[in-house]
């Protein structure tokens, strides 16, 4: 029996819906015409989405290189405080490269604004952004994603790589913790 700790999780986006949207997003990325693409998965939250999206990219005819950038955005409980720091940097030189940043959620936009600025300052030729979820209600940085999986209601979501207090990343769907 699968175990979901001792909490009730309501499924918001089921696995089949996520998989179908990933395939569409991969086709959108292919049509966007990135050259010699380097995808950068922003950890930890995007690791499940990135793993699925890069395989969808394969079926869409894209053979990307893959990097991982571990960023920490300090949070008080479920609210973002502002500061973003690099926990573990990428290893590749992005100079002259087309880059696609992959993250789980675009909310305040601070994380992706920081990552985009980092890549542009290192001379990336193009920096695209793909997110599974867009929560537009709390934007603090002027940033939008080029590729969005789903608009997300103003709820704290977990699963499919996303956590609350380090729990629930393993869930194969996007859900909401019911109190
Ligand atoms: P922001 O856009 O800089 O505010 O940060 C977005 C990051 O906050 C995401 O990459 C997630 O790691 C985290 N985050 C925002 N909303 C949620 C949520 O509802 N559940 C889990 N993590 C979230
Ligand atoms: Mg994150």
């Amino acid at each position: 029996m699968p175990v979901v700790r001792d909490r009730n999780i309501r499924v918001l986006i089921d696995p089949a819906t996520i998989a179908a949207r990933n395939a569409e997003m991969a086709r959108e990325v292919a049509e966007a015409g990135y050259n010699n693409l380097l995808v950068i998965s922003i950890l930890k939250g995007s690791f499940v989405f990135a793993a699925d999206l890069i395989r969808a990219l394969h079926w869409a005819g894209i053979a990307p290189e893959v990097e991982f950038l571990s960023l920490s955005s300090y949070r008080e409980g479920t609210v973002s405080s502002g500061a973003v720091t690099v926990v573990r940097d990428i290893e590749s030189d992005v100079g002259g490269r087309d880059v696609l940043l992959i993250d789980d959620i675009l909310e305040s936009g601070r994380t992706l604004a920081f990552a985009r600025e980092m890549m542009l300052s290192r001379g990336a030729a193009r920096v695209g952004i793909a997110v599974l979820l867009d929560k537009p209600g709390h934007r603090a940085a002027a940033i939008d994603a080029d590729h969005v999986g789903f608009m997300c209601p103003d709820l704290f979501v977990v699963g499919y790589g996303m956590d609350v207090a380090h729990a629930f990343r393993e869930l194969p769907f996007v859900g909401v913790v019911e109190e």
Side-chain angles (χ1 to χ4, degrees):
M1 272 295 273
V3 173
V4 189
R5 294 193 173 72
D6 57 350
R7 308 289 287 278
N8 282 331
I9 308 283
R10 177 164 58 86
V11 176
L12 207 61
I13 313 175
D14 64 75
T17 305
I18 295 170
R21 184 66 192 122
N22 283 344
E24 285 174 4
M25 280 184 90
R27 288 192 288 272
E28 289 172 23
V29 170
E31 279 163 21
Y34 296 95
N35 186 43
N36 184 26
L37 183 63
L38 173 66
V39 307
I40 301 180
S41 164
I42 300 178
L43 300 176
K44 303 175 185 164
S46 81
F47 78 109
V48 176
F49 173 48
D52 283 348
L53 189 63
I54 62 170
R55 285 175 289 178
L57 286 172
H58 167 77
W59 298 116
I62 306 279
E65 289 177 28
V66 181
E67 271 284 4
F68 302 93
L69 175 64
S70 188
L71 295 181
S72 172
S73 44
Y74 289 99
R75 303 195 136 247
E76 304 263 330
T78 59
V79 180
S80 162
S81 70
V84 179
T85 58
V86 178
V87 176
R88 182 188 171 281
D89 207 337
I90 58 169
E91 293 168 358
S92 305
D93 178 6
V94 298
R97 297 289 304 266
D98 283 6
V99 167
L100 181 66
L101 298 171
I102 300 186
D103 207 355
D104 51 356
I105 303 194
L106 175 59
E107 190 177 24
S108 75
R110 291 190 188 99
T111 306
L112 279 162
F114 179 93
R116 181 178 64 180
E117 198 44 51
M118 197 174 153
M119 298 311 150
L120 288 173
S121 72
R122 291 176 182 180
R126 178 177 176 184
V127 181
I129 294 176
V131 294
L132 178 71
L133 302 174
D134 187 355
K135 262 195 205 175
H138 303 275
R139 212 70 106 231
I143 191 160
D144 275 311
D146 303 280
H147 314 281
V148 175
F150 304 91
M151 298 310 288
C152 185
D154 194 9
L155 297 168
F156 198 81
V157 297
V158 297
Y160 201 63
M162 297 174 285
D163 72 309
V164 62
H166 310 293
F168 304 120
R169 292 194 197 274
E170 76 282 11
L171 300 181
F173 49 81
V174 176
V176 179
V177 182
E178 307 268 66
E179 290 314 320

